[in-house]
Amino acid sequence: NPSQLDAAGPKPRHNTTRVMVGNVAVGGGAPIVVQSMTNTDTADVEGTIAQVAALSRAGSEMVRITVDRDEAAAAVPHIRDGLRKRGITTPLIGDFHYIGHKLLADHPACAEALDKYRINPGNVGFKDKRDKQFTDIVETAIKYGKAVRIGANWGSLDQELLTHLMEENANSAAPLDARAVTREAMVQSALLSAKRAEEIGLPKTRMVLSAKVSAVQDLIAVYQTLASRSDYAIHLGLTEAGMGSKGIVASSAALGILLQQGIGDTIRISLTPEPGGDRTLEVQVAQELLQTMGFRTFVPLVAACPGCGRTTSTTFQELARSIQDFIRDEMPNWKAQYPGVEQLNVAVMGCIVNGPGESKHADIGISLPGTGEAPAAPVFVDGKKFKTLRGPAIAQDFKALVIDYIEQ
Ligand code: SF4
């Protein structure tokens, strides 16, 4: 049925309330924002500045930092100043647990320097003092004109609320399974806290909600429910996603499905870095997810075939890697450099089977010679054969053609 093909594509974005976090708009139809989080000790001012700078350079549009004790809270204004001196204005989000109310009260310069406070409704304080401590943080946000993220988390869910819902469920005529009740508790924890924050006086235009879970299917169900019951701006993330390909696949599967359904105004891909690994990988994965799904464009998109027995040993892989690295590392500000160029698709293909065809679909593409093929690499521009590259400098020559193409 061809009309099914016509209907392909994501659902319209869920209609949420726009929130300004520093100079970045979240929700209300704004582009989906990429964010990340440092893993430095926030009390280490220089180390944290360096990592926030690296994450910002990689494309993180907001960065969250842990504020867990007095030394960390005291460091926050220095981190903000140090970043500003380097010309970095990326909004900073303070991640508070247990004693956020106290840290914000004792360190007004920290409260002022941050752009958003993350409150975990599951651990904002002990039972009898919870409302007061929650109120204190929200009132600080109101006083300083800051945004708040109410971030429920499966691993630190409000136990009082969960127990209440479990008891209610046990007494109902058609009880749900325990996991479904836990999902409901996640959603209610976020929504009840948001309602309470509004009662205290924080407007919806300053609130972002999240409800992170570590299992893909639970996460999808929780966020679908959250979106169906409210119009708060939504932060998406799969918590404890894991290391390496497992974390990338799980996050991409969960977030990809939700984004396709129009849910999510800002995303974080939470990856456990390999020892000594690069923290910026989570930013790269978030950008690639948004770009491959067609929501945003960050870097020129490189389509490369996987290579097979028809490719000439490692030459093809080296060329494909060299061109990919060139585009990622040397053209990070390509949109600023070349205003008016919104997107660019580059194809790097390994032989004549799919090479010319795929290259014709790209803006600019190269079909490298496969095993037994003549040592010539036809280049296609805007769907037409443009020229043929030969000799030892094919990669260099092709990079020059990509630059020429963009400039023209
Ligand atoms: Fe193999 Fe050629 Fe297909 Fe690349 S385009 S995977 S080299 S057959």
Side-chain angles (χ1 to χ4, degrees):
N1 178 355
S3 66
Q4 282 179 322
L5 294 172
D6 278 350
K11 286 194 178 158
R13 299 272 305 280
H14 177 53
N15 193 13
T16 56
T17 307
R18 181 167 296 193
V19 176
M20 289 307 296
V21 181
N23 53 5
V24 173
V26 176
I32 300 163
V33 173
V34 170
Q35 63 174 285
S36 59
M37 185 173 182
T38 56
N39 62 356
T40 52
D41 176 358
T42 304
D44 170 7
V45 173
E46 288 310 316
T48 304
I49 289 174
Q51 197 173 70
V52 173
L55 291 165
S56 301
R57 267 197 309 276
S60 186
E61 293 159 309
M62 303 196 287
V63 178
R64 182 157 47 114
I65 59 178
T66 299
V67 188
D68 59 340
R69 63 193 198 279
D70 284 311
E71 292 83 348
V76 170
H78 301 293
I79 292 167
R80 180 73 280 168
D81 280 352
L83 289 166
R84 210 171 271 131
K85 281 182 190 139
R86 293 187 189 197
I88 297 166
T89 56
T90 308
L92 288 180
I93 302 158
D95 198 55
F96 293 100
H97 299 274
Y98 308 110
I99 55 167
H101 59 288
K102 188 171 179 318
L103 293 172
L104 287 167
D106 292 348
H107 299 272
C110 167
E112 177 63 54
L114 293 168
D115 297 285
K116 184 167 74 163
Y117 312 150
R118 183 271 171 108
I119 308 176
N120 181 339
N123 64 21
V124 77
F126 298 105
K127 196 177 168 188
D128 51 337
K129 294 185 180 149
R130 175 172 298 165
D131 190 55
K132 161 104 179 64
Q133 295 175 176
F134 181 83
T135 303
D136 286 351
I137 302 181
V138 171
E139 285 180 343
T140 307
I142 294 167
K143 176 177 169 189
Y144 289 98
K146 306 296 181 179
V148 162
R149 167 157 71 93
I150 293 178
N153 194 298
W154 191 257
S156 48
L157 182 53
D158 180 339
Q159 290 304 307
E160 206 184 326
L161 174 65
L162 181 61
T163 306
H164 167 72
L165 288 178
M166 286 288 185
E167 283 169 5
E168 212 176 64
N169 183 59
N171 295 328
S172 79
L176 303 170
D177 72 58
R179 218 170 166 93
V181 180
T182 310
R183 290 195 294 264
E184 176 64 21
M186 286 287 292
V187 174
Q188 287 203 20
S189 176
L191 289 177
L192 291 171
S193 302
K195 186 165 174 274
R196 178 76 192 112
E198 280 194 80
E199 284 164 6
I200 297 165
L202 188 72
K204 212 177 238 189
T205 50
R206 296 255 196 81
M207 246 187 290
V208 179
L209 300 196
S210 68
K212 295 191 184 182
V213 183
S214 58
V216 170
Q217 296 297 348
D218 289 319
L219 187 95
I220 293 167
V222 163
Y223 271 99
Q224 284 171 331
T225 309
L226 189 61
S228 72
R229 291 188 196 167
S230 76
D231 63 353
Y232 293 102
I234 287 183
H235 165 98
L236 284 188
L238 183 80
T239 192
E240 281 89 54
M243 296 180 82
S245 60
K246 188 265 173 192
I248 294 172
V249 170
S251 287
S252 303
L255 271 54
I257 287 168
L258 290 164
L259 291 167
Q260 186 73 359
Q261 292 174 354
I263 299 168
D265 299 303
T266 172
I267 66 169
R268 178 187 175 211
I269 304 284
S270 306
L271 297 179
T272 309
E274 303 289 343
D278 188 350
R279 190 67 170 176
T280 61
L281 179 63
E282 66 175 52
V283 178
Q284 186 184 321
V285 174
Q287 287 189 332
E288 286 175 355
L289 176 63
L290 293 178
Q291 181 154 345
T292 53
M293 294 191 73
F295 292 113
R296 295 198 51 190
T297 313
F298 297 97
V299 291
L301 204 60
V302 178
C305 80
C308 68
R310 297 179 66 92
T311 47
T312 46
S313 67
T314 57
T315 312
F316 161 72
Q317 285 147 42
E318 281 166 9
L319 278 174
R321 163 62 57 194
S322 160
I323 290 164
Q324 169 91 59
D325 288 351
F326 157 74
I327 284 171
R328 174 163 294 134
D329 300 339
E330 296 182 38
M331 302 174 69
N333 297 316
W334 69 296
K335 282 204 217 171
Q337 266 173 295
Y338 307 108
V341 182
E342 271 307 307
Q343 51 178 306
L344 178 72
N345 294 312
V346 181
V348 180
M349 301 294 291
C351 85
I352 203 168
V353 173
N354 290 325
E358 191 66 44
S359 298
K360 283 179 193 169
H361 287 303
D363 295 309
I364 178 164
I366 187 167
S367 177
L368 295 161
T371 312
E373 294 174 23
V379 172
F380 296 81
V381 169
D382 293 335
K384 295 198 184 75
K385 171 101 175 278
F386 177 67
K387 72 188 299 184
T388 300
L389 299 177
R390 290 189 174 82
I394 286 180
Q396 280 311 113
D397 294 345
F398 183 65
K399 289 174 196 172
L401 288 177
V402 171
I403 293 288
D404 279 354
Y405 177 76
I406 298 175
E407 285 183 346
Q408 281 165 33

